[in-house]
Amino acid sequence: MTTMQQLGLGLIVAPRGRRTKAVSLDPGRVSQVTADVDQAELVAWLGLSAEPQETPETENVKAERLLVLAQTAFEQGMYAEAEARALRVLPLGPSPVQHLRALALVAWVRTVNAPHAQGWAAVKALQAQLKVFQEQARQEGTRLDTAAEALVWLQTARFYVRKHKTRLAREAYARAARHLSPTQYRELGVIESGLGYLAQQSGQLDEAERRYRAALELYSKGRWPWAMHVQYNNLAAVCFNLHAQLEDADPAAALAHLEEAVRWSEDALEFAKEMDYGGAVDLEVNMAYAMRLMGRFERAAHWIRRAENIASTSESASDLACTYAERAELEEALGQREAAMASMRGAVRLLRQVGSDAWTLAAQKRLEELEGQRPLGKPLKLW
């Protein structure tokens, strides 16, 4: 019998305490899978049914399979493969929800892995398709699934968050929330996590931590381990910010926050390893940042190399920019000013390409400091 491992799908998990462990899948657990396809067909496709499949695979099942594989590829940092599989859904004549899920995944990939214009074009295409389905439903006297509308506004909000457009992101999250029920844990988790990031960027660290913990609980209920490990990293980011705030006024308290940040980062890395994720650059960069602050420069270089390998594999310009920025700070700490300037120039160039204005301005300011155009300030941390 075909197994999930043979299919290369490590998606089905069950929460257990603070951690999430992979479990073997059996037909009974398929009831936990949310998909707009026939459950018996899904069981058969997963290779869990002893009975031969009586009917040919439907287009909706083919679409669902591609969406599962696309989501898996995205979570493993294989962005090009994720986009390719999502685009293959569209010619199958999928259900409206599947169609919008495919376009949303394309928009997500291009938001994190393409120049600004391409990301925005993908978001606009997603919004335009939603209007098409809404008009079709109106003419037929029906109503489009509200989850589909929520999906569109969640992805729109993700785009605005990535581009640091705070007001527009909050508005998009609010529109999404109006279409969600209390049991749509994954979607509600996306909102909490996004609002947590916006709070973190504005310096509201207590609010950020509260929302990240709420998101972690929602993702646990929604059985979404990839998103859970992201919250570990987000909680580490709060601790890094607290360290930065207290570094001069209370070095002992600052060190305690730094050590807590490392523990959260290590939890996230262990989680990602157990779930067989391909790696997340922000986790590696966080470890490089922490090791540099602790004066452990060889370990910092080790984590930067890991981050660069992941970013090169995913071909993500924004991820690579963050590794360049952290490498520049390590080079500066080692007294390699010329190398640091070259690395920061690379970060600025890539950030301009992806259209992240706030990060670009921060990196440009730091470059001017390194070049002697401004007084040298504190090291830059983008994440």
Side-chain angles (χ1 to χ4, degrees), residues 36-293:
D36 52 346
V37 297
D38 181 81
Q39 184 175 318
E41 292 178 330
L42 182 59
V43 169
W45 172 70
L46 291 170
L48 301 170
S49 173
E51 299 297 324
Q53 195 169 349
E54 297 284 339
T55 57
E57 188 175 53
T58 66
E59 297 299 277
N60 273 17
V61 171
K62 290 179 183 177
E64 192 63 35
R65 177 173 60 190
L66 286 168
L67 286 168
V68 168
L69 294 172
Q71 180 71 29
T72 304
F74 183 92
E75 293 180 358
Q76 292 177 336
M78 298 184 292
Y79 298 129
E81 180 179 335
E83 180 174 348
R85 290 187 183 278
L87 289 172
R88 284 174 57 194
V89 170
L90 304 181
L92 295 175
S95 70
V97 173
Q98 288 176 323
H99 192 124
L100 291 171
R101 282 169 60 197
L103 289 180
L105 190 53
V106 171
W108 199 1
V109 169
R110 293 185 184 177
T111 293
V112 303
N113 199 44
H116 174 84
Q118 292 183 28
W120 180 234
V123 171
K124 294 297 288 183
L126 175 63
Q127 293 176 349
Q129 190 61 50
L130 172 63
K131 291 180 180 178
V132 169
F133 286 138
Q134 287 173 327
E135 178 60 22
Q136 288 177 354
R138 188 190 66 78
Q139 292 179 4
E140 295 168 359
T142 60
R143 180 175 173 79
L144 186 64
D145 189 335
T146 56
E149 297 184 53
L151 173 71
V152 172
W153 293 112
L154 285 176
Q155 187 51 52
T156 300
R158 280 191 179 116
F159 178 85
Y160 287 135
V161 166
R162 194 80 177 192
K163 307 303 178 181
H164 303 277
K165 307 293 185 183
T166 300
R167 180 183 60 82
L168 294 172
R170 290 184 182 278
E171 290 174 357
Y173 280 134
R175 294 187 70 166
R178 289 197 289 269
H179 299 293
L180 296 175
S181 72
T183 58
Q184 289 178 274
Y185 301 122
R186 294 188 177 198
E187 292 82 359
L188 292 170
V190 170
I191 293 175
E192 287 292 334
S193 179
L195 292 175
Y197 182 78
L198 294 176
Q200 176 190 319
Q201 292 301 299
S202 64
Q204 299 171 300
L205 299 181
D206 288 344
E207 173 74 0
E209 180 179 1
R210 182 184 69 79
R211 289 194 178 276
Y212 288 152
R213 289 185 181 277
L216 183 59
E217 182 177 353
L218 287 163
Y219 289 145
S220 177
K221 290 180 180 179
R223 304 181 184 91
W224 195 6
W226 176 81
M228 289 174 68
H229 99 280
V230 171
Q231 298 318 299
Y232 287 1
N233 187 58
N234 286 342
L235 288 164
V238 169
C239 294
F240 281 127
N241 277 273
L242 289 169
H243 166 269
Q245 286 184 355
L246 295 171
E247 189 175 11
D248 296 328
D250 190 344
L255 179 59
H257 285 303
L258 180 58
E259 291 171 342
E260 185 179 1
V262 171
R263 287 194 293 272
W264 276 118
S265 296
E266 288 173 342
D267 282 347
L269 287 162
E270 182 180 341
F271 199 126
K273 182 179 179 181
E274 290 178 357
M275 293 296 101
D276 195 26
Y277 297 134
V281 167
D282 48 348
L283 304 183
E284 321 290 330
V285 169
N286 273 347
M287 290 299 292
Y289 174 80
M291 294 300 104
R292 175 172 53 78
L293 291 180

Side-chain angles (χ1 to χ4, degrees), residues 13-25:
V13 298
R16 189 173 78 184
R18 273 188 75 223
R19 308 265 183 208
T20 295
K21 303 290 186 180
V23 297
S24 59
L25 187 65

Side-chain angles (χ1 to χ4, degrees), residues 334-366:
L334 292 170
Q336 301 167 359
R337 178 64 63 86
E338 291 296 325
M341 288 189 292
S343 294
M344 195 63 73
R345 289 188 191 107
V348 170
R349 174 179 55 80
L350 290 167
L351 290 170
R352 283 177 178 156
Q353 176 184 324
V354 299
S356 182
D357 294 342
W359 282 2
T360 304
L361 288 172
Q364 180 63 46
K365 176 177 178 292
R366 183 59 173 160

